[in-house]
Amino acid sequence: MRPQALLFKLILLSVLVVAKAQATTSTYQPFMWQVQNQGATVYLVGSIHALTPDFYPLPAAYEKAFQSADRLAVELDPEQLDPNQSARLVQSKMWLPKGVTIDRYLDDKSLTALQQFAKANQSDYERMLHIRPWMLVEQLTQAQLKDSNYQAEYGIDLHFLKLAKQKGLPILEIETLSQQIRAIADTPFQAQLTMLETSLDQMDDEDYMAKMTEYWRQADPDGLYQFVYQDVLDNPKLKPMMEALLDHRNQRMADVISIYLGQSPNRSQTTFVVVGALHLSGPKSIIKELEQKGFYPKPMFQDKNLQKQ
């Protein structure tokens, strides 16, 4: 289900149906970097947005860094969203043009899979035919997550949001819901369609989450990125989706984080930043964007390449 992981944090989504991974089977390192500039310190934490209870307690380095923080920054705080406004925004992006239905674009195999999904989840198949591909993938995501062992309530971002509110820390939002929805809903139709077709074809793949969490627990950002990016190599039509969900958002997030790093020339201030782990992975990651801006992110884990030497 790797293509569906590209929707990992869109509209506060989580990952899909999974086989439960054991959180104690191998090295558990903090997927975290430290960036300092004059009086400012930023901790960049890569989040898995749905986990199981056995991933806790987290490595001590996470908790130690968080205890030093003056504020928390996340992509979005779900408690601050207006449900009515959010629903209107989603509705404005989810429907195909009048008279157009998705069945004209899908082959028989994909249509059969969509019909089976609708029946299994007691969804209105005729209504689904009028929905844009990105939202159909979102519905697949939600249904599979519901039946999985992994739950958003155990995600890293919600964990630290809860702690920050208990401590009364200021909470900053790096993005808006509108930006997140546009990132997926405004991608080219063909890229959305390809993601839907691939998602329907891989509905029974149950090993994705276990593999992804393993890369995360071992703090292997390169391995994580390559695992996800392989789908783009296998199907180049997915590239616009990858660029919209990761590359373009990484640039905007790095711009915001660079502001955090420039706000404390005369006093110390520490910001604990939690974003999806994929945003800190790959050649166009937030880490790379910050390096291009002249900052020096320091990994708070043992580099895999150094281990191999």
Side-chain angles (χ1 to χ4, degrees):
M1 296 180 190
R2 288 198 295 273
Q4 289 163 301
L6 302 182
L7 286 176
F8 196 46
K9 192 57 188 283
L10 270 294
I11 324 174
L12 302 173
L13 295 183
S14 299
V15 289
L16 314 182
V17 64
V18 293
K20 185 174 181 180
Q22 295 299 317
T24 59
T25 56
S26 63
T27 304
Y28 197 173
Q29 295 199 83
F31 201 102
M32 179 170 64
W33 288 254
Q34 181 191 63
V35 193
Q36 294 180 306
N37 182 57
Q38 298 182 24
T41 297
V42 165
Y43 288 100
L44 293 170
V45 175
S47 174
I48 296 293
H49 301 302
L51 288 172
T52 59
D54 56 326
F55 279 85
Y56 292 85
L58 297 173
Y62 282 127
E63 305 296 347
K64 182 178 179 180
F66 179 76
Q67 290 303 319
S68 71
D70 300 299
R71 57 189 183 176
L72 171 70
V74 292
E75 293 173 37
L76 283 177
D77 179 357
E79 291 188 1
Q80 298 303 313
L81 295 176
D82 181 325
N84 294 325
Q85 182 180 5
S86 301
R88 288 195 296 271
L89 184 56
V90 171
Q91 288 282 335
S92 71
K93 296 286 187 177
M94 71 177 287
W95 299 106
L96 290 166
K98 186 175 181 180
V100 177
T101 53
I102 198 67
D103 55 340
R104 72 166 64 176
Y105 302 103
L106 297 176
D107 59 24
D108 291 342
K109 181 180 178 181
S110 295
L111 279 175
T112 298
L114 187 62
Q115 289 172 335
Q116 291 173 344
F117 170 79
K119 183 177 180 180
N121 291 273
Q122 298 182 327
S123 300
D124 186 339
Y125 175 69
E126 294 300 323
R127 180 177 183 273
M128 293 177 71
L129 293 179
H130 296 273
I131 296 176
R132 292 181 182 273
W134 75 270
M135 178 54 76
L136 290 175
V137 175
E138 190 273 345
Q139 292 185 9
L140 297 178
T141 301
Q142 292 285 24
Q144 291 183 310
L145 177 63
K146 183 179 178 181
D147 294 332
S148 76
N149 293 312
Y150 287 76
Q151 299 298 324
E153 64 182 291
Y154 298 115
I156 300 300
D157 47 345
L158 293 187
H159 171 75
F160 285 111
L161 272 167
K162 181 179 179 180
L163 292 180
K165 290 171 183 179
Q166 290 175 349
K167 290 184 63 176
L169 292 182
I171 297 173
L172 310 178
E173 293 182 298
I174 301 174
E175 294 184 309
T176 65
L177 181 63
S178 178
Q179 286 175 321
Q180 288 199 346
I181 292 179
R182 288 201 307 268
I184 177 64
D186 291 349
T187 52
F189 183 81
Q190 185 58 53
Q192 293 184 37
L193 191 64
T194 300
M195 177 175 279
L196 174 60
E197 292 169 339
T198 308
S199 299
L200 288 167
D201 186 53
Q202 298 182 352
M203 286 286 287
D204 295 327
D205 180 1
E206 296 186 347
D207 65 348
Y208 171 78
M209 191 60 176
K211 292 178 180 178
M212 192 179 74
T213 53
E214 187 68 12
Y215 286 117
W216 175 74
R217 287 192 300 107
Q218 293 189 29
D220 185 0
D222 292 336
L224 176 62
Y225 182 83
Q226 290 303 320
F227 178 61
V228 175
Y229 194 70
Q230 184 60 47
D231 291 287
V232 178
L233 297 178
D234 294 340
N235 194 335
K237 291 180 181 179
L238 288 170
K239 187 174 182 179
M241 192 72 68
M242 189 80 161
E243 292 174 342
L245 298 187
L246 288 179
D247 298 350
H248 299 163
R249 292 173 66 207
N250 290 346
Q251 293 175 356
R252 294 196 301 268
M253 290 185 189
D255 288 342
V256 175
I257 292 167
S258 67
I259 294 174
Y260 301 159
L261 287 163
Q263 287 181 331
S264 306
N266 300 314
R267 63 185 179 90
S268 62
Q269 187 172 51
T270 297
T271 310
F272 192 86
V273 178
V274 183
V275 296
L278 280 175
H279 292 294
L280 303 177
S281 307
K284 297 183 179 181
S285 66
I286 291 174
I287 302 298
K288 298 299 184 183
E289 292 288 337
L290 290 174
E291 288 176 344
Q292 291 183 11
K293 294 177 182 294
F295 299 107
Y296 300 94
K298 173 186 174 183
M300 305 298 287
F301 52 85
Q302 186 176 358
D303 189 282
K304 295 297 173 183
N305 294 321
L306 295 178
Q307 292 182 35
K308 296 175 183 178
Q309 294 179 0

